[in-house]
Amino acid sequence: MARAARVAWILGSSRCALAEGPRTRPWPPISAQSWAGFTRAAAGSPGPAVGKGSPRLLGAAALALGGALGLYHTVRWHLRAQDLRAERSAAQLSLSSHLQLTLYQYKTCPFCSKVRAFLDFHSLPYQVVEVNPVRRAEIKFSSYRKVPILVAQEGDSLQQLNDSSVIISALKTYLVSGQPLEEVITYYPPMKATNDQGKEVTEFCNKYWLMLDEKEVQRMYGGKEARTEEMKWRQWADDWLVHLISPNVYRTPAEALASFDYIVREGKFGVVEATMAKYVGAAAMYLISKRLKSRHQLQDDVRADLYEAANKWVTAVGADRPFMGGQKPNLADLAVYGVLRVMEGLEAFDDLMRHSRIQPWYLRMERAIEEAPPVHCIPH
């Protein structure tokens, strides 16, 4: 009943709705310690006797007492802040340490990059299995033949999560709510659908929703508007931004060759496969990028669409907050950053930084990822 109350979807539609119900096992709040007892004790404690005829001594004593109290409060605040950070890290570790995560990926895939950005920012240790894009032998265990695939072991339970947005939503729900991952995954059921080209594809219901109760939603977002905004821009990253990558990195024969040189260096190819991929793949993707340009109705200069999308994102974030999530990135920030990151080192990325307004936000995202606690990303 609880599961049915949580999830509802419209059969035959790719747009799925969520029906939330009450749930137990909320994430425990971290309480703050009061200093009121110390303040009362300090105010009521007897001081040394000072004669009325000793104003210099009185001033010196007051200055010393004030300095001592100020130093005490400063040290105590610093130690308490460290304790709170340790409590939060320990609370997250108590959940994440139950999970053993293995990410099957292509390193240069924007959807895989989204997942890595999420895992890195949330300090979730994971192993990486680089999949050979030709043979894909590394994922022969799976009937789902796309990447990313995340395999999560929680105790004796082994779960496979497919689709980048489902992976992110399920893991975030798990971290915030503490629900068993095996249960969380059932909130994102797969559904067969037909795309615009008449090909059967697998869609996932509710994939931009976090399955939280009202208290958890309020604690995480502060209001429904922030939650709706995050979902809107996560979907925008999947439905629009990601489709601007290929036409831009394969825009010219030279750019296509440079892109495949990068793909071959970072990917998992045999010697013959690498040579074929670099030259034949570059030529093929240059031609395919022209078809993609037509399919998505891009401008003649596809860079203009890329700059326009970047500026649209920066406008949505606004000038009064560093991230869409406020003082720290939310899932939309991580999605957009993950998609754009795959272009680093290529001409399209350099042009984007020079000719759009996105660079300050992008650099803040880099720092946010770097300043997260160390992650043990283990090549397999």
Side-chain angles (χ1 to χ4, degrees):
M1 289 295 291
R3 181 179 304 171
R6 268 193 173 271
V7 181
W9 62 93
I10 302 172
L11 293 177
S13 170
S14 62
R15 294 186 178 275
C16 305
L18 168 69
E20 290 188 88
R23 188 185 45 70
T24 58
R25 301 176 65 179
W27 182 263
I30 300 174
S31 59
Q33 231 174 13
S34 171
W35 294 341
F38 167 78
T39 305
R40 288 193 297 270
S45 60
V50 180
K52 293 182 179 179
S54 307
R56 291 185 179 178
L57 182 60
L58 180 62
L63 183 62
L65 179 60
L69 287 174
L71 180 61
Y72 177 85
H73 278 290
T74 300
V75 172
R76 180 161 182 161
W77 175 87
H78 180 71
L79 292 175
R80 181 56 184 156
Q82 287 183 325
D83 289 343
L84 287 173
R85 286 194 294 270
E87 287 174 20
R88 286 193 291 268
S89 298
Q92 187 181 45
L93 183 61
S94 67
L95 280 178
S96 62
S97 63
H98 292 302
L99 283 181
Q100 296 180 23
L101 303 176
T102 303
L103 176 64
Y104 294 82
Q105 67 156 21
Y106 306 145
K107 186 174 180 180
T108 55
C109 163
F111 296 106
C112 299
S113 180
K114 277 171 48 187
V115 174
R116 292 198 310 274
F118 172 86
L119 295 174
D120 293 346
F121 180 72
H122 290 85
S123 302
L124 294 173
Y126 58 102
Q127 293 184 342
V128 172
V129 176
E130 192 68 23
V131 176
N132 182 296
V134 179
R135 290 177 280 114
R136 293 186 290 179
E138 294 81 5
I139 55 173
K140 64 182 179 182
F141 63 87
S142 173
S143 59
Y144 183 83
R145 302 299 290 170
K146 298 180 180 179
V147 293
I149 293 172
L150 187 77
V151 175
Q153 184 166 358
E154 184 181 26
D156 295 331
S157 175
L158 192 67
Q159 305 296 327
Q160 178 177 327
L161 291 82
N162 306 321
D163 185 275
S164 61
S165 292
V166 171
I167 292 169
I168 291 168
S169 293
L171 287 180
K172 187 66 175 182
T173 297
Y174 170 83
L175 290 174
V176 174
S177 70
Q179 300 175 78
L181 189 59
E182 183 177 6
E183 180 180 343
V184 171
I185 293 174
T186 64
Y187 303 148
Y188 304 96
M191 184 178 68
K192 297 295 182 182
T194 303
N195 64 14
D196 296 337
Q197 289 75 46
K199 182 180 178 182
E200 186 180 80
V201 295
T202 300
E203 297 287 351
F204 292 88
C205 294
N206 313 312
K207 66 181 180 179
Y208 300 109
W209 282 88
L210 302 189
M211 304 305 181
L212 308 173
D213 62 26
E214 290 184 6
K215 290 183 179 179
E216 291 163 350
V217 169
Q218 184 64 29
R219 185 167 65 248
M220 180 171 173
Y221 294 105
K224 292 182 179 179
E225 294 80 6
R227 186 186 199 186
T228 301
E229 181 183 52
E230 179 186 76
M231 292 171 60
K232 170 188 171 181
W233 288 97
R234 287 181 67 194
Q235 185 169 0
W236 174 82
D238 285 353
D239 291 349
W240 179 245
L241 184 62
V242 75
H243 296 298
L244 301 179
I245 304 301
S246 291
N248 274 278
V249 299
Y250 305 125
R251 185 181 60 156
T252 66
E255 286 182 90
L257 190 61
S259 296
F260 262 87
D261 183 61
Y262 170 68
I263 290 171
V264 167
R265 287 199 317 270
E266 298 294 335
K268 184 177 182 179
F269 293 89
V271 177
V272 176
E273 290 172 342
T275 303
M276 292 289 292
K278 182 174 178 179
Y279 294 100
V280 178
M285 285 307 302
Y286 169 71
L287 297 175
I288 290 172
S289 70
K290 305 308 176 186
R291 293 171 52 193
L292 294 174
K293 173 183 169 181
S294 175
R295 179 188 302 174
H296 298 295
Q297 299 180 341
L298 303 183
Q299 301 178 52
D300 289 337
D301 181 6
V302 291
R303 285 286 199 275
D305 291 289
L306 184 62
Y307 303 155
E308 182 180 322
N311 290 334
K312 183 177 182 179
W313 166 254
V314 172
T315 300
V317 172
D320 58 344
R321 52 183 181 175
F323 306 104
M324 181 166 281
Q327 295 305 307
K328 62 180 181 179
N330 66 9
L331 299 184
D333 287 291
L334 292 169
V336 173
Y337 174 77
V339 169
L340 295 179
R341 183 172 60 174
V342 297
M343 296 192 297
E344 285 188 7
L346 300 176
E347 183 179 335
F349 181 82
D350 295 337
D351 287 347
L352 178 64
M353 294 297 111
R354 281 196 300 266
H355 301 295
S356 77
R357 295 183 286 115
I358 204 167
Q359 186 174 39
W361 171 85
Y362 193 89
L363 294 176
R364 288 194 295 270
M365 283 299 301
E366 280 189 333
R367 288 194 296 270
I369 298 288
E370 290 170 359
E371 291 171 2
V375 174
H376 303 292
C377 180
I378 309 166
H380 188 74

